[in-house]
Amino acid sequence: MTETEAGGRAGVLFPPERVETARRATEDAAFDALLVTPGADLRYLTGYQALPLERLTCLVVPARAEPFLVVPELERPAAQASPAGRLGIEIVGFAETEDAYELVARRLPPGTRRFAVDNHMWAEKLLAFQDALPGAQPGLAGDVLSVLRMRKSAAEVAALRRAGAAIDRVHDAMGEWLRPGRTEREVARDIADAIVAAGHDHADFVIVGSGPNSASPHHEVSDRVIEPGDPVVVDIGGTTAEGYCSDSTRTYAVGEPPAAFLELYRVLLRAQTAQTEAVRPGVTAEELDAVGRDIITAAGHGEHFIHRTGHGIGLETHEEPYIVAGSKRPLEPGMAFSVEPGIYLPGTFGARIEDIAVCTETGGERLNLTGRDLVVLPG
Amino acid sequence: MTETEAGGRAGVLFPPERVETARRATEDAAFDALLVTPGADLRYLTGYQALPLERLTCLVVPARAEPFLVVPELERPAAQASPAGRLGIEIVGFAETEDAYELVARRLPPGTRRFAVDNHMWAEKLLAFQDALPGAQPGLAGDVLSVLRMRKSAAEVAALRRAGAAIDRVHDAMGEWLRPGRTEREVARDIADAIVAAGHDHADFVIVGSGPNSASPHHEVSDRVIEPGDPVVVDIGGTTAEGYCSDSTRTYAVGEPPAAFLELYRVLLRAQTAQTEAVRPGVTAEELDAVGRDIITAAGHGEHFIHRTGHGIGLETHEEPYIVAGSKRPLEPGMAFSVEPGIYLPGTFGARIEDIAVCTETGGERLNLTGRDLVVLPG
């Protein structure tokens, strides 16, 4: 994915008014300036997909003055050629031996007392800004931007739908790679290739947890050889050329699994189905979490569902809103998030089912349409 | 790359005494604690290659108490199975609704006044630590760790040598992909595949700058069709399964280039050769930068060499030491860094030659051995 491609869709996915929208939100949140380094926030605001490196690249949005983009002089042509170069924002270059943080501080309007930085800004950059702006108080841009990024536009939902269809194609062909006698690592390598072949720019993660490893939610892969009868959790995702992420989990059995696993899977499927059907505006994140947790708890597995129900998804795989106990955030149309309950019996086996869901005006839409019944592959 | 593979080499690349070494360095730097989230520092210290996600994973090294590793409860099995699990460090899990930052603050020894965070820690985590440790002063772990990480062990130099040989294989076969009539993007896709096929776990970046784009140092790729006679800057790198990075640039001509380009290339080659030959202990970073800059300036191109000479390399593509004007850091045996002068005529063409060099006891070793004379491919 490069700036050129993003620019080609800028009118749709990256509308040019976002910097001004962010400026107003910055002012409303009583910040004097917003400082955004490379990452999803910068791409969301400008379409510019800059690499996060040690030299400062930073979109500066003062609450009551014109925005500007600070870049290393050697990246000026790249910034100018990016979608950010077409927004009419001044690009300010600095030389290798200049202090870019002082440069930003000098150009900020006098009286800058509170500034917001993107949530993923590196500590070394945040501390350098604190040094350059003595007495000013830092805060998080997430408080300003995540409410904007959370509510996906129709173009963004369409991009997520395309990403969902791409990862579905990988799950639909899982029997090509997932077989007894192969290691998790071998299977994962093939899946990573398939994620790209199915329409992603790159694979972001491939979890293949077989047998007892299926009970470790964030297991990645190992050299364990998959055995007949194993349950296998396959949790995979990638990013498309448009910049939007996919993330879907299916649990497979390779040959006939133990009866206790089938029982566990039935409970999980009931919970995950109930949760995807419960998506609608006004339901809070904790209520949606509870819909699945209550079913799993009633079946005696409450202590084995050791993580939240899900996370938002968009330009990042994990972003707001989080579907977690304690969050009273009500769902709103355009919110996109994973619904991924799991049940894990340590040392024995586990299962997880995950779809991306979007809250619509009247209910929810699943962006992953691969069947959710247990797929038993040849063992 | 997974923890299992890293673990297999842990005795060599990731020796278990590093956490204790870091503790002593933390104490020497008058920090009360070192806080390290996922990334190169965590991998360097423990071998644990955790994903940087929104939940806190953090190695806590108090200056005068036992270290511990805080992980989300759902990642406990993954952490335990990683090389970090074999270091005998206590692993402390937290549940989804617990405040992990408060947990760290509670477990730190009383009187924690100065703490160091890894340089790439996300702002949201740093600010959460500042909230949980009111009155304590944050600093950067780089001040403690970069002096350790800069001096590569023999095992690390060997790993960098393998990475260098892998990227050399890609440059040596460039004629397979780089041809007039193809776009930069098409060529870059083939190169990315070749980077993996040549022995990397993944490609980190592929710059293909043809014709006037060769004058933009951080250009990535575009849909420009490569034309006969174009100079083409190809700057590529990847990370091997061991975790070490490669980074090498060659400038090609596709068919006979303009005479002015040949002259520019001769100057550049002289500068880059002089710089790689000047590597030895005691030479400072700015002196090494000047060796090339003086030659380029004498030839009338001083203003066209718009970036520093190079950057350190290891578990990250860009790390200390930076070879830049103003840095009086003397080279030491084990330091590994790029030597990559460039000359860029805006809108016309440019060239860059880059090798990774290691400072030895008596001089320097180049880890990239692809020929540096201009390769003219069929036009």
Side-chain angles (χ1 to χ4, degrees), chain A residues 30-44:
Chain A
F31 283 113
D32 300 306
L34 178 67
L35 306 175
V36 182
T37 52
D41 283 339
L42 183 65
R43 192 163 183 193
Y44 177 81

Side-chain angles (χ1 to χ4, degrees), chain A residues 348-373:
Chain A
T348 308
F349 47 62
R352 182 166 63 258
I353 303 172
E354 176 186 24
D355 294 314
I356 303 304
V358 178
C359 185
T360 65
E361 294 291 335
T362 55
E365 175 191 350
R366 280 169 62 214
L367 301 188
N368 298 103
L369 301 173
T370 307
R372 291 179 286 189
D373 287 325

Side-chain angles (χ1 to χ4, degrees), chain A residues 2 54 75 96 218 308, chain B residues 54 75 96 123 185 218 308:
Chain A
T2 67
E54 68 285 1
E75 290 180 10
E96 289 283 38
H218 273 195
R308 66 192 176 204
Chain B
E54 68 285 0
E75 290 181 10
E96 289 282 39
R185 193 183 311 281
H218 271 195
R308 65 192 175 204

Side-chain angles (χ1 to χ4, degrees), chain B residues 41-53:
Chain B
D41 283 340
L42 183 65
R43 192 163 184 194
Y44 177 81
L45 292 175
T46 69
Y48 186 25
Q49 189 187 12
L51 286 174
L53 292 171

Side-chain angles (χ1 to χ4, degrees), chain A:
Chain A
M1 178 58 190
T2 67
E3 294 76 14
T4 312
E5 284 177 358
R9 296 179 184 269
V12 183
L13 272 177
F14 300 101
E17 67 271 16
R18 281 190 182 152
V19 175
E20 170 56 17
T21 305
R23 188 203 60 72
R24 283 199 308 270
T26 300
E27 193 171 16
D28 291 348
F31 283 113
D32 300 306
L34 178 67
L35 306 175
V36 182
T37 52
D41 283 339
L42 183 65
R43 192 163 183 193
Y44 177 81
L45 292 176
T46 68
Y48 186 25
Q49 190 186 12
L51 286 174
L53 292 172
E54 68 285 1
R55 296 181 184 95
L56 185 68
T57 288
C58 188
L59 174 69
V60 182
V61 185
R64 289 165 296 275
E66 290 296 310
F68 55 97
L69 179 65
V70 173
V71 301
E73 193 58 48
L74 79 160
E75 290 180 10
R76 182 194 284 275
Q80 196 65 58
S82 84
R86 292 189 285 280
L87 293 176
I89 293 175
E90 184 185 3
I91 296 180
V92 182
F94 63 90
E96 289 283 38
T97 52
E98 255 183 288
D99 184 329
Y101 302 92
E102 289 294 343
L103 184 156
V104 171
R106 272 199 316 276
R107 292 183 62 110
L108 278 174
T112 295
R113 291 200 167 73
R114 291 186 72 226
F115 62 99
V117 302
D118 65 278
N119 287 44
H120 295 188
M121 182 183 283
W122 290 357
E124 65 181 36
K125 297 182 201 280
L126 170 55
L127 293 179
F129 276 124
Q130 289 187 257
D131 281 351
L133 294 162
Q137 200 57 36
L140 291 173
D143 298 340
V144 175
L145 298 178
S146 71
V147 288
L148 305 177
R149 282 181 51 192
M150 249 189 297
R151 299 188 199 105
K152 268 68 183 177
S153 67
E156 289 184 283
V157 171
L160 282 168
R161 201 179 283 120
R162 285 187 284 272
I167 207 71
D168 282 358
R169 285 191 280 277
V170 180
H171 273 302
D172 286 339
M174 194 56 62
E176 292 183 29
W177 316 295
L178 184 54
R179 287 190 300 273
R182 306 192 75 200
T183 68
E184 293 173 358
R185 193 182 312 280
E186 288 165 351
V187 172
R189 281 198 188 121
D190 290 342
I191 293 175
D193 291 343
I195 288 173
V196 173
H200 296 86
D201 179 73
H202 58 269
D204 289 315
F205 57 90
V206 179
I207 293 176
V208 178
S210 68
N213 292 339
S214 62
S216 168
H218 273 195
H219 175 79
E220 293 185 31
V221 295
S222 76
D223 289 314
R224 183 178 184 278
V225 176
I226 296 165
E227 294 176 17
D230 274 351
V232 186
V233 171
V234 179
D235 185 348
I236 55 181
T239 302
T240 65
E242 298 177 308
Y244 282 77
C245 298
S246 66
D247 187 359
S248 175
T249 308
R250 289 295 181 266
T251 300
Y252 298 85
V254 182
E256 200 54 38
F261 175 79
L262 293 173
E263 177 53 31
L264 176 154
Y265 191 89
R266 271 190 290 272
V267 172
L268 180 65
L269 178 57
R270 203 142 44 81
Q272 204 265 356
T273 304
Q275 285 181 301
T276 52
E277 290 175 356
V279 174
R280 74 177 60 85
V283 172
T284 66
E286 66 177 4
E287 285 167 353
L288 187 58
D289 182 78
V291 166
R293 203 166 297 277
D294 290 350
I295 291 171
I296 290 170
T297 302
H301 284 304
E303 67 181 310
H304 301 133
F305 177 15
I306 59 173
H307 56 70
R308 66 192 176 204
T309 286
H311 52 81
I313 189 166
L315 288 167
E316 293 178 283
T317 307
H318 288 193
E319 57 182 52
E320 297 277 359
Y322 293 100
I323 310 301
V324 61
S327 169
K328 300 192 187 308
R329 185 190 295 285
L331 300 183
E332 296 176 50
M335 287 185 176
F337 46 85
S338 69
V339 177
E340 50 174 316
I343 304 177
Y344 312 96
L345 309 185
T348 308
F349 47 62
R352 182 166 63 258
I353 303 172
E354 176 186 24
D355 294 314
I356 303 304
V358 178
C359 185
T360 65
E361 294 291 335
T362 55
E365 175 191 350
R366 280 169 62 214
L367 301 188
N368 298 103
L369 301 173
T370 307
R372 291 179 286 189
D373 287 325
L374 182 69
V375 172
V376 180
L377 296 169

Side-chain angles (χ1 to χ4, degrees), chain B residues 57-82:
Chain B
T57 288
C58 188
L59 174 69
V60 182
V61 186
R64 289 165 297 275
E66 289 297 311
F68 55 97
L69 179 65
V70 173
V71 301
E73 193 58 48
L74 79 161
E75 290 181 10
R76 182 194 284 275
Q80 195 66 59
S82 84

